[in-house]
Amino acid sequence: MESLGPVLRALEAGREGEAEALLGALLPAGPEEAAEALALRGFLRGRRGDLPGYRRLALEAARQAPTPFTLYHLGLALPPREGVVALEEALHCLRGDPEGEARLHLALARARELLGQEAALAHAALAQAKWPTPWTYLHRLRLELLFGKMPLGEVLAGAESYTFHPYPGVRLLAGFTLLLAHLLRGRREQAAAAMRGLLPSLGPGAYGSFLGEGVLALLGEPELALLLEGAKAALPEGRQGYLALGRGLALWEAYPEEAYPHLTEALLCLGEGPGVDRPRALLAASRLAWSRSTPLPPGFQGLALALRPEAQRLYLGPLAPEAGGFRALGEARLFGKPLPLRQAELLVLLLFRPEGWRGEALALALYGEANTPALRMELHRLRARGLAVASRPYRLLSPLRADFLEVREALEQVDLPRALQLYRGPLLPRSQVPAIEEMRGHLEEALRHKVLASGNPLLLEGLAERLGDDLELWEALLERLPPLDPRRPAVLARVGRLRREWGL
């Protein structure tokens, strides 16, 4: 790969014509270098918008010589789901080459980002740790804005340090990171200024990545038309979903009826298939869900909840929940604040049946009678707390993290430590709503059954302490403690007391 060094440096510096000329004059030193040169020729085609050509040459290069470099380009060129499989296999086989591993992690970060998977951030962090460069650092910063916890000010400072870098690609990546950070902070003017500065540098390979966030930054600005017209001229046919997204977002607030077909096309093109980009598809899905008074499609719920709170507000728009979620186990709290029992009961019922309730059925479940005026008042109070609730049928539109649903999910995945950690107590213990009483019993019994079946002393002790006077749990724990375990006397005393109370 040594003779490819001048080609790579020319590419990094943005001199694509020079890189192509150097490739044309290259005499490869062996089959591996020839394959890597072929991968670079494909990469240049991709830069010009010829994605099928990039994919074809990357496949041939990896077939000729599966080096870290050719596999990196294969992972970038393939559709994301196929790319993840190829890259994971390459990582499994590759050891002892930090730069090669970093390239594969970087490609995995990109593929998993397009699939809407928060593991993208971990791969970007590994790439930076193994190969510290401006590229790996900025990719990690960008993904911190989606899935991380790094303070926004720290991300801004890191990206700003590269805005005058000699390589245009680095400047472009730093500029996008600034644009997104400003949007997450709610600073529309600074975001618009960042996007205006980036417009002259955009090419066929960059327009798609910038369209969604770029349109949000330039709403109401004259440069919005330049962005959309430039994308229309530059985007290849296989990436028209991005153009549809840009047009739909530009129209959505003022002309929602005209935005629907564009947003629908964007969701179809970017939601699945070879052109998948789920974070951008979420922009379309959330606006469509809000406009049509329907919940977010189930396939996007996980991504919506994985985003950091500031990113939720940007990508979910009016469906974005406040921070903190819903706590219904033990003490009811919504977004960190105490929630009256009746509103908590209503919210549990809405979460339990995401497809929705007819008004009379929901009133009967909540009050035991068809008290629809009282139901409408409680729904109004939930909406006043920042939740989007649709009518006919009544259903929750906002994606909302709920502890009792997370416990149920952990039990389904047989992740008992997590289920026990989340289980603070019974579901709304003061509620006498029959449906909630049934849910409460099912959840506790499912947790008891799985913990007892595990025979794990730590889990048995944790749940026994949580539930207090459950004789069966304490007896099971006593059976599994070694004779000299220091906990044994206290557990033996507890078992004896409970047996006496039960008359055993």
Side-chain angles (χ1 to χ4, degrees), residues 195 199 202 207 211 214-215 218 223-231:
M195 191 63 226
L199 272 172
L202 296 185
Y207 265 105
L211 257 182
V215 167
L218 293 176
E223 291 84 2
L224 178 60
L226 292 175
L227 175 61
L228 292 174
E229 285 302 312

Side-chain angles (χ1 to χ4, degrees), residues 124-347:
L126 282 168
Q128 184 198 346
K130 291 176 179 292
W131 188 36
T133 69
W135 301 101
T136 56
Y137 176 61
L138 287 169
H139 274 293
R140 183 202 165 183
L141 285 186
R142 187 177 55 79
L143 288 167
E144 285 280 354
L145 293 175
L146 292 182
F147 303 112
K149 296 180 180 179
M150 185 182 289
L152 295 179
E154 190 175 331
V155 176
L156 274 169
E160 282 173 345
S161 65
Y162 287 96
T163 50
F164 296 103
H165 194 276
Y167 292 166
V170 172
R171 295 198 300 271
L172 203 61
L173 185 53
F176 178 80
T177 306
L178 288 175
L179 161 71
L180 183 54
H182 285 312
L183 283 173
L184 296 194
R185 296 181 108 186
R187 296 180 173 180
R188 182 68 63 82
E189 289 184 9
Q190 290 92 329
M195 191 63 226
R196 280 194 290 269
L198 294 169
L199 272 172
S201 305
L202 296 185
Y207 265 105
S209 301
F210 280 80
L211 257 182
E213 295 84 349
V215 167
L216 294 178
L218 293 176
L219 283 173
E221 303 287 335
E223 291 84 2
L224 178 60
L226 292 175
L227 175 61
L228 292 174
E229 285 302 312
K232 180 181 177 182
L235 279 172
E237 186 175 342
R239 307 191 83 191
Q240 291 300 303
Y242 288 110
L243 182 58
L245 175 64
R247 287 170 168 167
L249 292 175
L251 293 167
W252 183 70
E253 288 187 5
Y255 307 101
E257 294 294 334
E258 295 179 32
Y260 294 161
H262 297 297
L263 292 175
T264 301
E265 180 185 353
L267 183 56
L268 288 172
C269 294
L270 302 176
E272 295 294 340
V276 64
D277 186 338
R278 293 181 70 77
R280 277 47 181 256
L282 182 61
L283 284 169
S286 62
R287 272 66 179 178
L288 286 170
W290 174 259
S291 301
R292 296 171 176 175
S293 294
T294 57
L296 198 64
F300 288 94
Q301 295 279 347
L303 170 58
L305 294 173
L307 294 174
R308 63 188 292 165
E310 301 94 337
Q312 285 182 340
R313 289 193 286 273
L314 179 69
Y315 286 85
L316 291 171
L319 291 185
E322 292 187 36
F326 176 42
R327 172 176 169 175
L329 297 171
E331 179 190 6
R333 300 179 75 86
L334 180 65
F335 307 141
K337 299 175 183 177
L339 189 66
L341 178 60
R342 188 60 83 190
Q343 290 177 43
E345 291 170 333
L346 175 56
L347 192 47

